[in-house]
Amino acid sequence: MAEKLLEIKNLKQHFPTSKGTIKAVDGLTFDIYKGETLGLVGESGCGKSTTGRTIIRLYNATDGEVLFNGENVHGRKSKSELKKFNRKMQMIFQDPYASLNPRMTVADIIAEGIDIHGLAKSKEERMKKVQALLETVGLNREHANRYPHEFSGGQRQRIGIARALAVEPDFIIADEPISALDVSIQAQVVNLMKKLQRERGLTYLFIAHDLSMVKYISDRIGVMYQGKIVELATSEELYRNPIHPYTKALLSAIPLPDPDSERTRLRQVYDPSIHNYDGEEPELREVSPGHYVSCSQTEFAKYTS
């Protein structure tokens, strides 16, 4: 049985506004196991990125628990405890242009975590670590003294990956790490992440809206809609046997590399009104081993018959 690294229990992230409360994340419960990649997908505004930022404590959770190695991430913590936690969990951000300080050299950007956690005893050791990390992500040692504006988008994202790796984390949240990149570069970055996972035993939460790329990198996939997970299964099972109507709609929107099929293929549109819950709150229920769907008791009976 795989070991749980992260346990999310009824996680909520609500934002009060002048027009009412926005329930960006509204009661998520799922686990992430050591060494796996869990993909989190859904349309813009469904709460994917907010989930990642709440897990890593960039936002304080409104309610619920995030347990990392059995320890509550959102519990009271001293500065030293927070520092230790921040070393174990890192984030790769969506925009490689905005996430790197243009006034800092690549060496200083990558070494920020090394400096904070005291992982180098001298300037020479610091530079050696930076150069090794640059080579690990497919860049050159000479790039250390350059500035972010001298690099392409794909190279900048590699710098962002090197920065996350610098403190030797166990878990990385990748928040749409390829969405700002050219299609030709996306596969290179994803292949690099898979290679690093194999070599370093990393665990990923991979957040994206591109279901085809998520299938390629993920062991399991959670589909989000309006702050909730509506379906969770292995990537193969989700593509082979989607059950929730929203998942079916998302999959039907993936373009096929066949012009004839594309012309005749019907896209599905998700209409939430098809569900008749009659006051019954839908729950994430296991319809087959490891395959969970948000549904009512009536729908559950239909899905499992």
Side-chain angles (χ1 to χ4, degrees), residues 120-190:
K121 296 186 177 76
S122 64
K123 286 185 179 180
E124 291 75 20
E125 186 183 351
R126 179 185 190 261
M127 184 54 79
K128 277 184 182 177
K129 283 179 178 284
V130 167
Q131 290 174 339
L133 285 162
L134 283 169
E135 290 184 337
T136 297
V137 298
L139 296 173
N140 299 327
R141 287 171 169 246
E142 294 73 33
H143 289 150
N145 294 318
R146 295 186 187 177
Y147 288 85
H149 73 268
E150 300 178 62
F151 296 90
S152 67
Q155 288 174 320
R156 291 186 203 194
Q157 198 57 290
R158 288 172 187 265
I159 294 166
I161 292 169
R163 176 177 59 186
L165 293 175
V167 294
E168 300 169 7
D170 295 327
F171 177 60
I172 292 179
I173 297 172
D175 183 13
E176 304 232 25
I178 58 173
S179 64
L181 305 178
D182 292 341
V183 174
S184 59
I185 306 298
Q186 290 181 357
Q188 293 177 20
V189 172
V190 169

Side-chain angles (χ1 to χ4, degrees), residues 50-291:
T50 304
T51 299
R53 287 164 183 259
T54 305
I55 288 172
I56 204 168
R57 204 171 158 154
L58 290 178
Y59 299 142
N60 287 319
T62 303
D63 197 8
E65 284 185 313
V66 178
L67 301 178
F68 181 71
N69 276 328
E71 186 181 342
N72 190 358
V73 169
H74 289 271
R76 284 174 172 262
K77 283 184 166 46
S78 65
K79 281 187 178 180
S80 62
E81 287 173 329
L82 274 175
K83 195 172 169 183
K84 184 181 173 185
F85 160 72
N86 289 336
R87 185 179 169 186
K88 294 296 181 186
M89 193 185 292
Q90 287 288 302
M91 194 163 195
I92 301 167
F93 294 94
Q94 176 178 0
D95 188 347
Y97 297 91
S99 62
L100 304 180
N101 189 331
R103 294 183 178 86
M104 293 171 70
T105 64
V106 168
D108 288 339
I109 288 168
I110 293 174
E112 212 169 359
I114 294 172
D115 296 340
I116 290 168
H117 295 280
L119 301 180
K121 296 186 177 76
S122 64
K123 286 185 179 180
E124 291 75 20
E125 186 183 351
R126 179 185 190 261
M127 184 54 79
K128 277 184 182 177
K129 283 179 178 284
V130 167
Q131 290 174 339
L133 285 162
L134 283 169
E135 290 184 337
T136 297
V137 298
L139 296 173
N140 299 327
R141 287 171 169 246
E142 294 73 33
H143 289 150
N145 294 318
R146 295 186 187 177
Y147 288 85
H149 73 268
E150 300 178 62
F151 296 90
S152 67
Q155 288 174 320
R156 291 186 203 194
Q157 198 57 290
R158 288 172 187 265
I159 294 166
I161 292 169
R163 176 177 59 186
L165 293 175
V167 294
E168 300 169 7
D170 295 327
F171 177 60
I172 292 179
I173 297 172
D175 183 13
E176 304 232 25
I178 58 173
S179 64
L181 305 178
D182 292 341
V183 174
S184 59
I185 306 298
Q186 290 181 357
Q188 293 177 20
V189 172
V190 169
N191 284 334
L192 171 63
M193 291 181 66
K194 290 183 79 167
K195 175 175 174 281
L196 293 169
Q197 184 174 41
R198 287 193 303 271
E199 292 173 351
R200 296 174 176 242
L202 293 168
T203 305
Y204 292 137
L205 174 63
F206 190 89
I207 298 167
H209 59 264
D210 182 350
L211 263 166
S212 53
M213 193 57 80
V214 168
K215 182 191 179 190
Y216 177 63
I217 194 173
S218 302
D219 299 293
R220 293 185 300 138
I221 297 173
V223 179
M224 277 191 76
Y225 178 74
Q226 292 189 351
K228 298 178 183 290
I229 286 182
V230 295
E231 191 157 2
L232 177 65
T234 65
S235 57
E236 288 298 326
E237 170 70 9
L238 193 81
Y239 275 72
R240 187 174 53 81
N241 182 31
I243 293 176
H244 197 279
Y246 178 68
T247 307
K248 290 180 178 179
L250 277 186
L251 288 171
S252 78
I254 298 175
L256 299 172
D258 181 348
D260 293 330
S261 297
E262 279 297 286
R263 275 194 292 272
T264 57
R265 194 162 63 102
L266 291 175
R267 265 65 169 180
Q268 296 186 33
V269 178
Y270 177 54
D271 180 5
S273 67
I274 62 171
H275 304 286
N276 181 18
Y277 292 129
D278 287 332
E280 179 190 356
E281 192 69 26
E283 294 178 19
L284 204 60
R285 304 171 195 264
E286 192 171 18
V287 297
S288 64
H291 192 158

